[in-house]
Amino acid sequence: MLIVVFSFIMNKTVMGRHIYATGGNQKAAELSGVKTKRVTFWVFVNMGFLSAVAGLIYAARLNAATPRAGTMFELDAIAAAFIGGASMAGGVGTIVGAVVGGLVMGVMNNGMSLIGITIDWQQAIKGLVLLAAVGFDIYNRNKSK
């Protein structure tokens, strides 16, 4: 449901276009009349709310709330964004691309756990996947020039 709602907002509303413009080039968006500080503020409010909901769901799943419950999820989130098509050099990603990247990372995490790979090697493999995604992005960017 959230995927549909956020895809609609990002593709069909003025606010979505302002978010894409601010993310693509903040200075150009500001010169075009977009209130970039307001857009940035509301994007951070939205992400804070969604992070709180995700934390509540994760704590409910674990049936415990520990301070270290979500450590090293940052690597998964960054890798999912790059696998989903976001570019390190700017540009825009999509909601569907981020979800696909998240699914790829989830399947990879689950698969590595099922076959018994230790956490240290899982982090190394995820780092290599992230490195490959960034390298592929750089290759495609240079190829299109």
Side-chain angles (χ1 to χ4, degrees):
M1 182 66 183
L2 282 176
I3 298 167
V4 173
V5 170
F6 279 106
S7 291
F8 176 79
I9 289 170
M10 293 303 291
N11 294 324
K12 303 290 185 191
T13 66
V14 173
M15 182 63 177
R17 291 291 157 202
H18 285 184
I19 291 169
Y20 275 135
T22 301
N25 187 339
Q26 186 172 1
K27 188 66 173 171
E30 193 171 325
L31 292 172
S32 298
V34 176
K35 295 181 170 109
T36 57
K37 289 184 180 184
R38 181 179 292 170
V39 169
T40 303
F41 173 77
W42 284 111
V43 167
F44 274 98
V45 167
N46 182 39
M47 289 298 99
F49 173 74
L50 291 175
S51 297
V53 171
L56 289 171
I57 291 170
Y58 192 65
R61 183 174 159 248
L62 292 177
N63 203 20
T66 62
R68 296 181 48 102
T71 56
M72 293 308 293
F73 282 0
E74 304 88 10
L75 178 64
D76 290 347
I78 293 167
F82 282 126
I83 290 169
S87 177
M88 187 82 160
V92 293
T94 62
I95 302 295
V96 174
V99 170
V100 168
L103 290 174
V104 167
M105 287 303 294
V107 167
M108 197 170 71
N109 283 336
N110 195 22
M112 287 189 296
S113 294
L114 287 175
I115 63 175
I117 297 176
T118 63
I119 297 295
D120 298 331
W121 280 106
Q122 285 184 24
Q123 294 297 326
I125 291 169
K126 286 191 273 189
L128 290 173
V129 168
L130 175 59
L131 189 62
V134 171
F136 185 71
D137 175 52
I138 291 170
Y139 172 75
N140 280 340
R141 192 168 18 101
N142 290 337
K143 186 175 149 184
S144 66
K145 285 184 180 180

